[in-house]
Amino acid sequence: MGQGRQETVATSLADAVSGEIGASLAPVDAELARRYPGDPGTRQPVHTVYVPGDVFAADTVRSWGDRALAALDEHAPDAASFAAVLGLPGELAEPVYARVRAKLEREPVEDLRVDFEDGYGLRPDAEEDEAAARAARLIAEAYAEGTAAPHMGIRMKCLEAAVRDRGIRTLDVFLTGLMDAGGLPDGLVLTLPKVTYAEQVTAMVRLLEAFEEARGLAPGRLGFEIQIETSQAILATDGTATVARMIQAAEGRATGLHYGTFDYSACLGVSAAHQSADHPAADHAKAVMQVAAAGTGVRVCDGSTNVLPVGPTARVHDAWRLHHGLTRRALARAYYQGWDMHPGHLPTRYAAVFAFYREGFAQAAERLSRYAGRTGGDVTDEPATARALSGHLLRGLDCGALDAAEVTAATGLTRTALEAFAAPRRVGPTAPGR
């Protein structure tokens, strides 16, 4: 009864009220859009590989892949043995192992940083100058020849007084070398280590502005990662979160926050035997980083393990289990990137990543398909959850855990539609088109 009746719509507020409210909140709207633009929607590498400046060579990426494949051949020559070491479910053993080997052959490294900080140490100026110029030449050649990792760059020395001038010069030599070789590659990444105060981030911004002006680059072309390795970077003397200030001090140039496992642990007095990415002190620091970065477009990267998979098979298997477990743990906590310190870490990095995305694939695809089609189901999802579901599928596609054809078949959605779901939406839950 009354289903066909047309309702009378009445209001009590004057039209001017809405206008006044909108005007009063306009500064907040602008601030929200400026400070919290959301994830950039670009590919995030699953790891960062650090190679000392004097070790980096033209064949480094390929060499890491070959050494990782050799480690598999020696210590886990088939899917069953690899799955047994890592405890992978039987149904994932073959697909994960096959994808790991294919990844190591096709794209063994997703993000490489030529290190001029801790991994390089203090050298004569002429030696570091030459190494920085060489890194620029080799990276430019790799991009030109199609042999580069998707992301490549350097970690300079920090901006503390003792090494400040050296860090600035190395950055200048490197960037100048890239410019003289044809320009900055799209995958360029710069890392600023041991950041303690927001003022150091501001100084890095001014430094990059000066380079852009000197070389006629568009303002804002150069971004950088902030490495969190000290307690002061997490908590300031007034009790506020320093890392949140750092993100704002970067003036939109910050691309990531990288957790430094061992420097940070040592700063807090954690003994060497207990310095690990899963220590409670590490969990606290990364949780603060994660909350500070949420919605800003800055991504959080987990740290590393210093236990290397080398030596007898039993020792390699122990190191693999440790690294695999830490990687799985990080993924569950939404830290989708970490450090890898040795070629032997690559098999377990990719095994953990591929298994993670394949295990969650069917459920994520079904839930997103139901959400997009408004068909309901046993779970009621909201737009924010749809963003998380599509994000899971997109990250799986980017790293090679999932194939485009199987995702489209399971969801009925193209990649463009997935990206539309993953993008932050401030207004309305309207689903993007299929």
Side-chain angles (χ1 to χ4, degrees):
M1 182 176 179
Q3 290 293 325
R5 179 178 175 180
Q6 185 173 358
E7 298 292 340
T8 300
V9 178
T11 62
S12 300
L13 297 176
D15 291 342
V17 173
S18 180
E20 291 170 0
I21 294 295
S24 70
L25 291 177
V28 173
D29 294 339
E31 184 81 347
L32 184 64
R34 183 176 71 85
R35 292 186 183 273
Y36 299 99
D39 188 87
T42 54
R43 175 181 178 181
Q44 180 180 10
V46 302
H47 69 170
T48 299
V49 162
Y50 281 80
V51 178
D54 58 329
V55 174
F56 177 60
D59 66 344
T60 291
V61 172
R62 185 61 265 151
S63 173
W64 272 57
D66 291 342
R67 291 168 65 188
L69 285 166
L72 277 179
D73 290 339
E74 181 177 357
H75 303 293
D78 53 51
S81 59
F82 194 49
V85 172
L86 303 182
L88 295 176
E91 66 274 13
L92 287 179
E94 287 289 348
V96 166
Y97 191 75
R99 286 174 185 271
V100 168
R101 293 197 69 96
K103 181 76 169 180
L104 295 175
E105 292 166 356
R106 182 188 75 255
E107 187 183 74
V109 174
E110 292 198 359
D111 183 25
L112 186 145
R113 207 71 71 250
V114 184
D115 190 14
F116 288 95
E117 204 232 355
D118 284 350
Y120 184 77
L122 298 175
R123 310 288 182 94
D125 283 340
E127 184 177 339
E128 185 160 341
D129 280 351
E130 183 175 358
R134 180 169 166 271
R137 176 177 60 81
L138 291 177
I139 288 176
E141 290 174 355
Y143 276 105
E145 296 167 1
T147 59
H151 302 274
M152 299 184 80
I154 66 166
R155 177 170 71 166
M156 59 189 278
K157 288 179 171 62
C158 69
L159 291 180
E160 292 178 353
V163 294
R164 182 181 302 143
D165 290 344
R166 181 62 261 180
I168 292 172
R169 181 172 175 83
T170 296
L171 180 65
D172 188 8
V173 169
F174 175 72
L175 292 177
T176 298
L178 288 177
M179 291 296 297
D180 291 347
L184 304 180
D186 290 338
L188 176 66
V189 188
L190 307 173
T191 304
L192 178 65
K194 292 184 175 60
V195 184
T196 305
Y197 286 87
E199 288 81 359
Q200 293 167 328
V201 175
T202 298
M204 183 68 169
V205 171
R206 301 287 89 82
L207 178 60
L208 297 181
E209 286 177 340
F211 188 88
E212 289 166 350
E213 183 177 355
R215 296 304 301 243
L217 294 170
R221 169 64 180 86
L222 292 165
F224 62 99
E225 301 166 334
I226 302 169
Q227 203 154 6
I228 305 300
E229 303 177 87
T230 67
S231 62
Q232 296 92 339
I234 294 296
L235 195 68
T237 54
D238 63 358
T240 59
T242 315
V243 65
R245 296 181 185 174
M246 291 177 179
I247 291 172
Q248 298 309 315
E251 299 176 22
R253 293 178 185 265
T255 58
L257 301 174
H258 281 227
Y259 175 68
T261 304
F262 303 102
D263 281 290
Y264 187 86
S265 299
C267 180
L268 268 62
V270 178
S271 63
H274 297 283
Q275 292 177 0
S276 176
D278 60 354
H279 190 280
D283 284 342
H284 171 261
K286 287 179 286 190
V288 174
M289 292 162 59
Q290 189 175 43
V291 173
T296 65
V298 178
R299 289 157 165 173
V300 176
C301 176
D302 197 9
S304 61
T305 175
N306 59 0
V307 179
L308 305 183
V310 296
T313 294
R315 187 175 299 170
V316 170
H317 286 181
D318 286 342
W320 273 353
R321 277 188 285 267
L322 174 65
H323 183 246
H324 181 264
L326 290 173
T327 303
R328 285 290 306 222
R329 184 180 189 273
L331 290 167
R333 285 159 175 75
Y335 308 132
Y336 299 116
Q337 184 177 355
W339 295 14
D340 287 329
M341 310 300 289
H342 187 274
H345 285 142
L346 299 185
T348 40
R349 169 68 61 183
Y350 292 125
V353 169
F354 293 168
F356 177 78
Y357 289 115
R358 294 208 66 80
E359 285 173 354
F361 168 53
Q363 185 184 68
E366 181 183 5
R367 288 174 64 178
L368 188 59
S369 178
R370 288 184 178 278
Y371 178 85
R374 297 290 193 260
T375 58
D378 59 354
V379 178
T380 301
D381 288 320
E382 297 184 355
T385 304
R387 290 199 294 273
L389 293 169
S390 58
H392 181 95
L393 298 176
L394 287 167
R395 285 189 294 272
L397 285 168
D398 285 341
C399 70
L402 306 174
D403 299 324
E406 66 177 338
V407 171
T408 299
T411 63
L413 301 169
T414 64
R415 181 173 181 116
T416 300
L418 290 175
E419 290 172 345
F421 275 116
R425 296 195 299 279
R426 305 243 179 243
V427 181
T430 303
R434 298 243 190 171

